[in-house]
Amino acid sequence: MNPEGQDFKIFSCTANVALSKAIADDLGIDLCRADVRRFSDGEIFVEIQESVRGTDTFVIQPTCHPVNDTLMELLIMTDALKRSSTNSITAVLPYYGYGRQDRKVQSRVPITAKLVADLLTAAGVSRVVSMDLHAGQIQGFFNIPFDHLYAKPVILQHIRQNYPMDKLIVVSPDAGGVERARAYAKRLDVGLAIIDKRRIRPNEAQAMNVIGDVEGKHAIIVDDMVDTAGTLIQAIHVLKEHGAESVSAACTHGVFSGSAFERIRDSEIREVICTDTIPLSPEMAKLNKVKCLTVAPILAEAIRRIYKQSSVSSLFD
């Protein structure tokens, strides 16, 4: 039995143990014991090392790099818990891998975000919690309850404490991100600008123009993730050309793959604000232009409310 009569258990796979421990600490409990290891041929083995019969279990695992391994770990741990007679299994995915493949953009391609939803459901997950999905419609791929959380409160707090509100402007990196950027601009009570971006091919885009006045302003580009940082660097150049005094970026998921480290290190960006939904690589963690904020309190409170069957959406009212 956990403190306060809470009969639920928290498990962590291997992708982000630090975040899992922070969540458990916020809840005032210990992570439950589970052995996750690999056979010599790479197959994953999971052993639940304590009784979970009749309990509500929460498995924390962002399906980040290496995404196929982290996804399989989650599925296999879910199967192990189901076969251990747990009452319910909630998959807590701070980052939902394959979320960018949410629709058919050309002929003969998969909708992998839907495939991942089907795999999680088939494995035995009874509820999903995730944060700042690339596309909100991913929730509709599930026929089980889905709680969509937002990192906005912790990012807004950092911005308010470190930027002058009278010279701040929020920038959407493309037309698709306007709703997200507008939400930030509204809560900060500042202006909004939009970058007209034309995508050439996956992971490569050409920024074209800026809609809005950024001259003399501290511009903050708001997006759900920064991956290779190619689009981000183009946006910095365009904003600087239009007179922005400084340019920063705020995202929930710091994917930082490919040449992201070199691009950010060598750029004119003031800082990149991200959260710990994905663990930073050692080199990114040492880069003084990257500020990583924790979302552990938000995830912990969501878990607490789910167990107590109280409102999760009111967290963001």
Side-chain angles (χ1 to χ4, degrees):
M1 186 70 70
N2 293 313
E4 303 176 8
Q6 297 174 336
D7 192 15
F8 66 88
K9 297 190 175 185
I10 305 289
F11 288 87
S12 175
C13 296
T14 63
N16 199 340
V17 177
L19 176 60
S20 301
K21 288 181 177 178
I23 293 169
D25 289 344
D26 197 281
L27 290 166
I29 62 178
D30 295 323
L31 286 176
C32 292
R33 298 187 305 275
D35 182 21
V36 182
R37 63 180 187 269
R38 281 163 173 73
F39 294 110
S40 59
D41 65 351
E43 288 184 1
I44 298 167
F45 173 81
V46 174
E47 180 186 6
I48 308 302
Q49 296 182 318
E50 57 187 87
S51 175
V52 294
R53 185 177 295 274
T55 63
D56 294 318
T57 53
F58 296 80
V59 182
I60 302 169
Q61 174 84 324
T63 48
C64 54
H65 177 79
V67 62
N68 297 327
D69 288 350
T70 55
L71 177 59
M72 281 304 300
E73 278 187 11
L74 175 59
L75 295 172
I76 293 170
M77 182 171 284
T78 297
D79 188 71
L81 288 168
K82 180 179 68 175
R83 297 177 189 282
S84 301
S85 301
T86 185
N87 182 53
S88 68
I89 304 168
T90 299
V92 181
L93 284 69
Y95 170 71
Y96 189 98
Y98 286 112
R100 283 172 283 186
Q101 299 179 45
D102 63 306
R103 64 194 185 281
K104 288 189 69 171
V105 294
Q106 63 191 68
S107 301
R108 298 175 296 279
V109 296
I111 304 178
T112 322
K114 166 61 173 168
L115 173 61
V116 170
D118 291 341
L119 289 170
L120 290 170
T121 305
V125 169
S126 49
R127 189 182 197 101
V128 176
V129 178
S130 193
M131 180 165 279
D132 281 319
L133 292 168
H134 185 68
Q137 65 262 27
I138 291 173
Q139 298 170 76
F141 294 163
F142 289 86
N143 291 321
I144 55 176
F146 192 111
D147 292 295
H148 191 195
L149 310 182
Y150 304 93
K152 196 183 295 103
V154 297
I155 296 175
L156 287 173
Q157 182 181 23
H158 175 82
I159 292 172
R160 290 190 181 105
Q161 293 173 348
N162 294 277
Y163 290 83
M165 292 297 105
D166 59 331
K167 295 183 67 176
L168 190 70
I169 188 165
V170 173
V171 180
S172 172
D174 52 38
V178 171
E179 183 179 356
R180 181 184 298 107
R182 184 186 291 119
Y184 275 83
K186 179 180 178 180
R187 283 162 177 77
L188 293 168
D189 194 23
V190 299
L192 173 67
I194 304 167
I195 294 177
D196 174 30
K197 183 184 72 174
R198 309 292 171 88
R199 185 167 294 279
I200 301 171
R201 58 184 65 90
N203 294 118
E204 185 176 345
Q206 178 66 48
M208 301 294 290
N209 203 358
V210 176
I211 303 170
D213 183 14
V214 299
E215 187 171 357
K217 300 289 184 68
H218 295 286
I220 297 185
I221 303 166
V222 174
D223 210 346
D224 63 316
M225 69 175 70
V226 174
D227 189 357
T228 62
T231 300
L232 176 60
I233 299 307
Q234 290 178 345
I236 295 168
H237 292 158
V238 171
L239 291 168
K240 283 288 189 177
E241 288 172 0
H242 283 73
E245 183 174 328
S246 72
V247 182
S248 300
C251 69
T252 302
H253 311 297
V255 180
F256 301 135
S257 67
S259 302
F261 172 76
E262 292 79 8
R263 285 171 170 165
I264 293 171
R265 181 195 61 194
D266 300 336
S267 73
E268 298 180 79
I269 198 164
R270 172 175 169 177
E271 71 172 348
V272 178
I273 305 162
C274 65
T275 74
D276 56 354
T277 56
I278 297 174
L280 295 179
S281 66
E283 61 179 5
M284 290 301 301
K286 293 176 183 177
L287 190 60
N288 58 13
K289 290 183 178 181
V290 175
K291 176 65 176 177
C292 187
L293 310 174
T294 184
V295 291
I298 295 175
L299 290 164
E301 182 60 24
I303 290 171
R304 186 182 288 113
R305 292 186 181 204
I306 289 168
Y307 175 73
K308 292 184 175 180
Q309 298 185 3
S310 59
S311 173
V312 175
S313 61
S314 61
L315 265 172
F316 308 102
D317 289 344

